[in-house]
Amino acid sequence: MDGVGSPAGPPGDRPEQLIGALIPPVIQRPPPAAPLVLTLPPRLRLPTGADAESMLLDMGRLDASGRFSARRLLRALDWPSGHRVDAVVVDDAVLIRSSPTGLQSVGSRGELAVPAAARALAGIADDGHVVLAAAPDHGVLVVHAPAVVTRLLLEHYADLTQEQHRDR
């Protein structure tokens, strides 16, 4: 069949042809930029020993969005409304520290948000209470689940009990 619209021969006999409208244009891309250099955050400095007297403690209650109010501690840290902070999970605590490029900021009513991922990693219940420890000399606010503080107190009480038995 050599009629209009009929193939000239069997499909295997025809050479392949490229259809120009279906070929994407060649895009010239610039060479890759210099490799991205990631810098590590500054080493965390937490109070120890004699610094313990400078610690300020408070309790907070998370709202449905993971925010808590801590005006007294924020004043002591000198973190006004709009101040940028970052949250880092360290073991079973969330450390919040000042950062000019921080992802969170202090709210207009003195509230801070603990990101959902950080709450999950630190074992902090959504809509629950938190124990707050501020170290103004070190510029850090530490957020703990109450269970962590309870565990630490029970360990302390166990040590006291053992000391009392040894003294007898």
Side-chain angles (χ1 to χ4, degrees):
M1 284 175 79
D2 273 309
V4 176
S6 64
D13 292 344
R14 286 180 291 175
E16 289 186 15
Q17 295 180 4
L18 297 176
I19 302 170
L22 299 177
I23 300 173
V26 176
I27 299 173
Q28 295 294 330
R29 294 200 164 106
L36 178 64
V37 177
L38 296 176
T39 58
L40 294 175
R43 189 165 181 216
L44 295 175
R45 290 183 41 225
L46 295 174
T48 58
D51 289 339
E53 291 181 18
S54 68
M55 293 286 294
L56 301 173
L57 300 175
D58 203 351
M59 292 283 298
R61 181 167 180 81
L62 297 178
D63 67 10
S65 299
R67 292 179 305 225
F68 62 90
S69 180
R71 289 184 195 116
R72 182 178 70 91
L73 299 181
L74 295 176
R75 274 194 305 274
L77 289 163
D78 196 23
W79 294 354
S81 173
H83 188 83
R84 307 297 295 176
V85 295
D86 261 337
V88 178
V89 178
V90 178
D91 292 329
D92 52 8
V94 179
L95 278 72
I96 300 175
R97 59 185 172 190
S98 182
S99 172
T101 59
L103 298 177
Q104 288 87 26
S105 64
V106 176
S108 61
R109 292 175 291 198
E111 73 274 3
L112 278 173
V114 180
R119 291 193 308 268
L121 288 170
I124 297 172
D126 294 340
D127 248 5
H129 285 91
V130 289
V131 178
L132 307 168
D137 295 342
H138 299 275
V140 67
L141 176 67
V142 187
V143 183
H144 296 281
V148 172
V149 177
T150 300
R151 179 178 43 94
L152 292 172
L153 286 172
L154 291 175
E155 289 172 8
H156 176 70
Y157 297 155
D159 290 345
L160 287 177
T161 304
Q162 288 175 0
E163 286 178 21
Q164 287 177 348
H165 287 291
R166 275 185 263 155
D167 292 341
R168 289 184 183 178

